[in-house]
Amino acid sequence: MEDEQGKTAASGSNYTPKNPVYIECSVEKTLDVIGGKWSFLVLRELFCGTKRFGELQRAIHSISPTALTNTLRHLEEQGILERQVFPTVPVKVEYTLTPKGEDLHMILKQMKLWAAKWT
């Protein structure tokens, strides 16, 4: 059974892109999904591949562990990244972008080009 977006009811996944007929002005929605200022830096690091918490913290020098944790949780709740826990001692946790997160790469690349041109 398909809904108005053309998705099957069984799929229901966060990773199934919509095929919108009408596109509203949704910059605010996008910013809500991405989150705060640290999200852009976390995304920048994850565009290079899977990273562990410590790797992200070392790469983003001025971020506190609490801010990094909150940012990672927000991005995971939004379906932007996946958190994989490995049952080792100590526990190993890796963060990887989902297809939804990878889809932000061109947007952020365009922002980078704009900044290089105008700032």
Side-chain angles (χ1 to χ4, degrees):
M1 185 167 110
E2 289 190 0
D3 64 10
E4 65 277 355
Q5 302 290 330
K7 295 193 309 186
T8 59
S11 71
S13 169
N14 284 339
Y15 311 124
T16 305
K18 297 177 183 176
N19 189 6
V21 176
Y22 169 75
I23 300 174
E24 58 186 279
C25 183
S26 55
V27 172
E28 186 176 350
K29 280 183 170 181
T30 304
L31 291 175
D32 286 342
V33 169
I34 294 172
K37 67 177 184 174
W38 297 115
S39 296
F40 292 97
L41 299 177
V42 169
L43 289 169
R44 177 194 68 193
E45 295 304 317
L46 292 177
F47 287 139
C48 298
T50 300
K51 298 273 194 289
R52 294 177 65 184
F53 186 92
E55 292 175 303
L56 290 168
Q57 193 170 17
R58 283 189 296 278
I60 307 169
H61 304 290
S62 54
I63 193 169
S64 71
T66 303
L68 180 55
T69 298
N70 291 340
T71 300
L72 291 168
R73 284 182 183 154
H74 174 79
L75 292 172
E76 183 180 11
E77 288 166 2
Q78 297 298 318
I80 302 296
L81 60 80
E82 291 178 319
R83 177 181 185 260
Q84 186 173 11
V85 180
F86 297 92
T88 58
V89 178
V91 175
K92 178 180 172 183
V93 180
E94 292 182 342
Y95 299 92
T96 306
L97 290 176
T98 63
K100 183 177 179 180
E102 288 285 351
D103 213 24
L104 292 167
H105 198 179
M106 288 307 298
I107 295 169
L108 296 182
K109 188 173 184 179
Q110 287 300 314
M111 291 173 69
K112 181 179 177 180
L113 292 172
W114 180 90
K117 181 177 181 179
W118 294 104
T119 61

